[in-house]
Amino acid sequence: MGWFWADSTTANAPPTISTSGATPPPECPMHNASAQRPSFPPRNATQPTPSGSCPVRAPNEPISSTNPSTMSKLNPLNYMPSNLSQSRDHRQTIHLPTERETSSIPRGDNDSNWEYPSPQQMYNAMLRKGYDDTPEDAVESMVAVHNFLNEGAWAEIINWERRFSRGLGYGWQACQRGEEGFQENADRIAHPRDVVAPKLLRFQGRPNEMTPKARILDFMGRMYPAKFSSEPPFDRHDWYVQRQTVEGQTKEIRYVIDYYSAPPEPTGEPVFYLDVRPAVDGPTAAVERMMRWGGDIWYRASGAKAREMTAA
């Protein structure tokens, strides 16, 4: 999941994706909660990065070794192979489109938006990562789900930035009436024209590393299955976002994203839940999380909404 690509090509028009009540295509076998999870073969072994060396190289930095490390072959913006081929693989039996869609997510290194991989690139990437039994006829649906989830994740990041890009004081004004109060007064509290749009600098998929929150929820699900889900997230991403403050300064904010599968709709359509929040890399991020979640809980638990309705 989350494979944007740093090498630009001719961009198509950005897709229109609704993040409210929309669901990805139901035919994707990788994300259909009612389908059996595919069994992937073991990934190929990779050469470890030498101790003490920097794992991310500049795009134009020469490689001194005749046998470059695995990390040096990857794009430092997304940790994926650079210039992944659009060519048809010799094991491929059906045609896959090579057209790529442009996302709504601005890049941090130029004025364009990130591009999503084509179905052919997605298929080649999965083969390169050792997933040799990927069903070819499901790749297009997989790309559609991939794009849908990334657009939803970015929409959640925008919601965080609208609250806190202008500082903690302004963030508390946006959070003290809870989630519902913010949505009702979003234009007055944090109008988009007053907030410089954030940009995605880079990202990294970390599916085998559970976040602390995911570990806690997984433990609670095992202890109290009636109240908490015991299904762990099927993916985890770290997105590094450029925030511009009202003073004109730029900051790098790391967001963590846990991707969960939820029970399908009665119609059989799959449902997904994204848990998006700033990583606790410092006290500011911790306060932002406490403000947003604590403000919503207090607003509902204290009866503030009922008092406001009575006063009106």
Side-chain angles (χ1 to χ4, degrees):
M1 303 301 301
W3 293 337
F4 301 88
W5 304 85
D7 301 311
S8 298
T9 60
T10 303
N12 299 322
T16 303
I17 299 180
S18 173
T19 58
S20 175
T23 56
E27 62 269 20
C28 177
M30 291 187 66
H31 302 284
N32 191 332
S34 61
Q36 184 178 1
R37 292 181 180 271
S39 176
F40 294 127
R43 299 189 184 188
N44 297 328
T46 58
Q47 179 182 350
T49 303
S51 176
S53 65
C54 178
V56 180
R57 297 179 183 269
N60 298 323
E61 180 181 350
I63 301 175
S64 58
S65 172
T66 56
N67 296 314
S69 67
T70 300
M71 288 298 295
S72 69
K73 301 176 184 177
L74 304 183
N75 187 321
L77 299 183
N78 56 14
Y79 298 94
M80 292 296 296
S82 299
N83 299 317
L84 192 63
S85 173
Q86 291 267 34
S87 302
R88 178 170 175 155
D89 188 83
H90 69 277
R91 292 162 287 186
Q92 194 172 329
T93 59
I94 65 174
H95 170 75
L96 292 174
T98 58
E99 293 78 17
R100 299 169 59 184
E101 290 186 342
T102 302
S103 75
S104 66
I105 306 173
R107 295 174 56 131
D109 59 341
N110 57 45
D111 294 330
S112 64
N113 287 5
W114 287 90
E115 289 183 332
Y116 292 124
S118 68
Q120 184 65 62
Q121 285 181 310
M122 175 76 83
Y123 182 70
N124 290 342
M126 299 192 74
L127 291 179
R128 190 163 182 168
K129 297 175 74 173
Y131 299 143
D132 299 323
D133 60 349
T134 302
E136 298 171 21
D137 57 353
V139 173
E140 289 189 63
S141 295
M142 290 162 57
V143 171
V145 171
H146 161 274
N147 299 357
F148 172 89
L149 293 179
N150 282 321
E151 292 292 328
W154 186 247
E156 289 298 316
I157 289 175
I158 291 294
N159 281 332
W160 280 96
E161 291 298 304
R162 290 187 68 187
R163 289 168 170 85
F164 295 109
S165 64
R166 286 192 279 179
L168 294 178
Y170 194 84
W172 173 242
Q173 296 181 35
C175 296
Q176 62 183 343
R177 297 187 65 243
E179 295 294 309
E180 185 176 347
F182 177 81
Q183 297 301 329
E184 292 175 353
N185 300 276
D187 289 344
R188 178 179 62 83
I189 296 173
H191 196 280
R193 67 169 175 265
D194 299 326
V195 180
V196 178
K199 296 182 178 182
L200 180 59
L201 299 172
R202 64 187 188 280
F203 52 91
Q204 183 178 14
R206 303 171 66 181
N208 298 321
E209 302 177 48
M210 291 182 68
T211 62
K213 181 179 180 181
R215 290 183 182 276
I216 293 173
L217 293 177
D218 182 61
F219 173 78
M220 296 298 290
R222 297 176 189 276
M223 296 294 294
Y224 307 101
K227 293 185 177 181
F228 297 89
S229 172
S230 60
E231 184 71 20
F234 62 82
D235 202 1
R236 177 252 177 106
H237 286 177
D238 286 14
W239 288 18
Y240 297 83
V241 174
Q242 177 181 290
R243 171 187 295 178
Q244 184 166 330
T245 66
V246 291
E247 295 83 10
Q249 300 176 338
T250 57
K251 297 181 178 180
E252 181 177 288
I253 310 297
R254 180 170 69 98
Y255 282 87
V256 290
I257 308 169
D258 287 323
Y259 296 80
Y260 292 89
S261 293
E265 296 284 355
T267 57
E269 295 179 335
V271 177
F272 301 92
Y273 170 67
L274 305 185
D275 189 359
V276 183
R277 68 274 187 196
V280 185
D281 292 333
T284 299
V287 172
E288 289 177 358
R289 288 170 64 158
M290 287 189 291
M291 276 188 178
R292 184 170 182 183
W293 294 328
D296 183 59
I297 293 174
W298 174 254
Y299 180 72
R300 290 184 285 114
S302 66
K305 181 176 177 60
R307 291 194 296 271
E308 290 177 359
M309 294 179 64
T310 302

